[in-house]
Amino acid sequence: MKRILIALAVLLSVQVADAQTKSPEAAKKAVESAEAASKDAKKAAKVATWTKLASAYMDAYNAPAGNVWLGASKQELQLLMGNDKPISTEEVVLGGDQLVKEVYSNKEFYFSPAGQLVLINVTKPVVENALAGALDAYKKAYEVDVKQSKTKDIVAGLSSIAQKYLDEGMNSYTFGNLEEASALFEKAAEASATAPLSKVDTTALYNAGYTAWAVKNYERAKNFFEKCLDAGYYYEGGEVYAKLGDVYTNLGDAKKGAEILEQGFVKFPQSQSILIGLINYYISSGDNADRLFVLIDEAKKNEPNNASLYYVEGNIYKELKNIDKAIESYYKCAEINPEYEFGFIGAGILYYEQAIELQEKASNELDDNKYNALVVEFEQALKNALEPFEKAYAVSKDNSLKVNIAEYLKNIYYRFSSNGPEYEAGYKKYDEVVKTGQAN
């Protein structure tokens, strides 16, 4: 998915290639038979009646997809499906990914460019709301199972339903149906919370909240994000705090939002989302932004040798447009930990962004003298970025990070490549790194 920040730690349920799935016709008959049995007073008192009904609903849910499995190749599916051919085929874009869509009478298959099945969308279910029917059946099974002889089977069934709802939620998210996705993620959480499974599914809760937040249903989002915090789930270094803070702000309680952000900042001082939220609050509210430095100083007292805290401090000064202090904080990182590259990276990016701003100003300046003065400032800002980027490149041991730094250095050296052999050599060096993806 190209839309970030949804919790993607979701294991899509995969049907094994040799697992036998009932035909839609047989599955529908099985549901009708099991439903009839559940309405018989004597049979309704038996656990097996309800577990059989739940299984029938699950078979009906799985029937349209048949024996296919995610990750299968087109060739494998052609052998498996025999005469079941697609009605139409077309190229589509979902979530920013180019996919091939095959349309069947009761389903749609989506394939990656490599020809692997990545998504199944059932368009004609055998039974409407089969998952809800299965969930209700398992609830009833647990209710009549006074000896708890089938607890293990019921737990497995509930777990499967929860996973199916997660898969459905991810499908809806992929198709851009965020309200529907939020409802499905909520159902996944409810299925997991159902006894005897009784599990708090934080992934489902977060995704339900995130998709509600994305469509600006802030009251609904608040409910799920608060449940995440209650369960001790923060997602991606404190993103739940960042989102919940934003929710309260949009609900008209910016002060409560700031309190949430501060709580998150204490736990995750390196979270850029939380930091930006706090900075925006203090700037828009007119409150004293020194509160940010009080928080960072408290963090420093607890971890005096944590160089990343000075990097965060540099980011605060940068957002507050105090450039000198930002550079001072970034360079302080190296004093604390000479092998910490992010302070140098922060300084380099600050200068580089300064250069971009000056370049844009120059491009819009009609006065020749002012234009020339801006070009001089632009070039000086670029040259200022060279030293910290070079130091970051020398210090870093992460190849992918070094390649990213090389991209900046390549661009800067190219700008000055006609100014002398050292610049030309610098351009060639980092151009090679970017091309090969291998730092030297």
Side-chain angles (χ1 to χ4, degrees):
M1 307 305 127
K2 300 301 182 184
R3 280 171 294 211
I4 60 172
L5 296 182
I6 194 167
L8 297 180
V10 178
L11 296 174
L12 297 180
S13 56
V14 178
Q15 290 175 279
V16 182
D18 60 357
Q20 293 303 307
T21 303
K22 290 183 178 180
S23 69
E25 296 77 15
K28 186 173 183 179
K29 287 181 179 179
V31 168
E32 291 171 350
S33 175
E35 284 179 336
S38 70
K39 293 172 184 176
D40 180 275
K42 286 187 176 181
K43 292 180 179 179
K46 298 179 180 179
V47 180
T49 299
W50 297 104
T51 56
K52 186 176 181 179
L53 177 58
S55 295
Y57 276 125
M58 294 303 289
D59 286 342
Y61 176 85
N62 291 320
N67 290 320
V68 305
W69 68 98
L70 294 177
S73 67
K74 283 189 177 183
Q75 292 76 16
E76 288 172 318
L77 295 184
Q78 285 171 359
L79 290 172
L80 183 69
M81 297 176 68
N83 294 325
D84 192 4
K85 304 296 183 183
I87 299 169
S88 64
T89 301
E90 64 177 311
E91 291 189 358
V92 297
V93 176
L94 286 180
D97 294 323
Q98 191 78 33
L99 302 175
V100 175
K101 172 184 174 183
E102 289 188 351
V103 178
Y104 293 81
S105 61
N106 60 356
K107 57 186 172 284
E108 298 168 343
F109 290 164
Y110 292 80
F111 294 89
S112 70
Q116 287 187 308
L117 183 62
V118 295
L119 192 151
I120 301 170
N121 181 41
V122 173
T123 56
K124 187 179 178 182
V126 172
V127 175
E128 293 294 335
N129 302 315
L131 292 181
L135 179 60
D136 288 340
Y138 277 125
K139 287 179 180 178
K140 190 64 178 178
Y142 184 60
E143 179 184 321
V144 301
D145 186 19
V146 291
K147 295 182 179 179
Q148 297 187 352
S149 60
K150 295 295 181 180
T151 297
K152 185 177 179 180
D153 293 339
I154 296 171
V155 165
L158 292 172
S159 182
S160 178
I161 292 170
Q163 185 60 58
K164 296 291 186 182
Y165 272 130
L166 277 174
D167 295 349
E168 291 286 344
M170 289 305 300
N171 282 0
S172 293
Y173 176 79
T174 302
F175 287 118
N177 303 325
L178 302 192
E179 290 186 21
E180 181 179 83
S182 184
L184 289 164
F185 288 135
E186 180 180 16
K187 288 179 180 179
E190 289 174 350
S192 287
T194 300
L197 181 56
S198 305
K199 176 184 175 184
V200 177
D201 188 337
T202 51
T203 294
L205 289 173
Y206 175 80
N207 283 351
Y210 174 79
T211 42
W213 170 84
V215 295
K216 300 183 179 181
N217 189 340
Y218 297 118
E219 194 64 47
R220 176 178 171 81
K222 178 169 75 76
N223 173 51
F224 293 113
F225 289 140
E226 287 184 337
K227 286 181 178 179
C228 286
L229 293 185
D230 289 342
Y233 181 75
Y234 310 115
Y235 184 60
E236 288 294 308
E239 193 61 32
V240 174
Y241 283 108
K243 288 289 180 289
L244 186 56
D246 183 70
V247 162
Y248 272 108
T249 298
N250 280 288
L251 288 174
D253 194 347
K255 188 171 183 180
K256 177 66 174 179
E259 290 175 6
I260 295 293
L261 291 169
E262 285 195 9
Q263 292 171 20
F265 189 80
V266 171
K267 289 186 173 69
F268 304 98
Q270 297 176 61
S271 168
Q272 195 70 5
S273 298
I274 293 174
L275 178 60
I276 295 299
L278 281 171
I279 290 171
N280 288 340
Y281 168 75
Y282 284 111
I283 290 175
S284 62
S285 67
D287 284 1
N288 189 352
D290 288 344
R291 173 63 180 160
L292 291 168
F293 298 105
V294 171
L295 292 170
I296 201 71
D297 285 342
E298 289 175 359
K300 286 179 188 176
K301 289 176 184 177
N302 294 328
E303 300 180 81
N305 297 319
N306 188 343
S308 68
L309 295 175
Y310 288 90
Y311 173 73
V312 173
E313 184 178 65
N315 288 342
I316 296 173
Y317 279 121
K318 177 185 173 184
E319 294 296 329
L320 295 175
K321 308 301 182 185
N322 192 333
I323 304 306
D324 291 340
K325 281 288 190 180
I327 295 297
E328 181 183 326
S329 295
Y330 286 140
Y331 273 90
K332 183 70 174 179
C333 294
E335 294 180 27
I336 301 297
N337 181 0
E339 296 184 352
Y340 183 78
E341 64 266 67
F342 289 99
F344 292 128
I345 291 173
I349 290 175
L350 186 153
Y351 285 130
Y352 195 88
E353 290 177 350
Q354 268 190 334
I356 298 300
E357 289 179 10
L358 289 164
Q359 184 181 45
E360 290 177 357
K361 284 183 181 180
S363 67
N364 295 319
E365 182 55 64
L366 299 178
D367 184 284
D368 286 345
N369 291 331
K370 291 180 179 179
Y371 170 81
N372 291 330
L374 286 168
V375 170
V376 170
E377 289 185 61
F378 157 70
E379 292 184 340
Q380 186 56 56
L382 273 185
K383 289 180 179 179
N384 289 343
L386 277 176
E387 180 193 15
F389 277 138
E390 286 280 14
K391 287 183 176 179
Y393 186 87
V395 166
S396 180
K397 296 179 176 61
D398 185 310
N399 182 76
S400 61
L401 192 55
K402 288 174 78 94
V403 172
N404 288 335
I405 297 167
E407 183 74 44
Y408 285 103
L409 288 166
K410 165 195 165 183
N411 294 338
I412 297 171
Y413 277 116
Y414 178 76
R415 169 72 185 186
F416 301 111
S417 57
S418 61
N419 289 18
E422 68 274 20
Y423 291 107
E424 185 177 359
Y427 167 71
K428 289 181 178 178
K429 172 184 176 181
Y430 293 112
D431 182 53
E432 183 67 17
V433 171
V434 172
K435 283 180 179 177
T436 63
Q438 293 297 318
N440 48 34

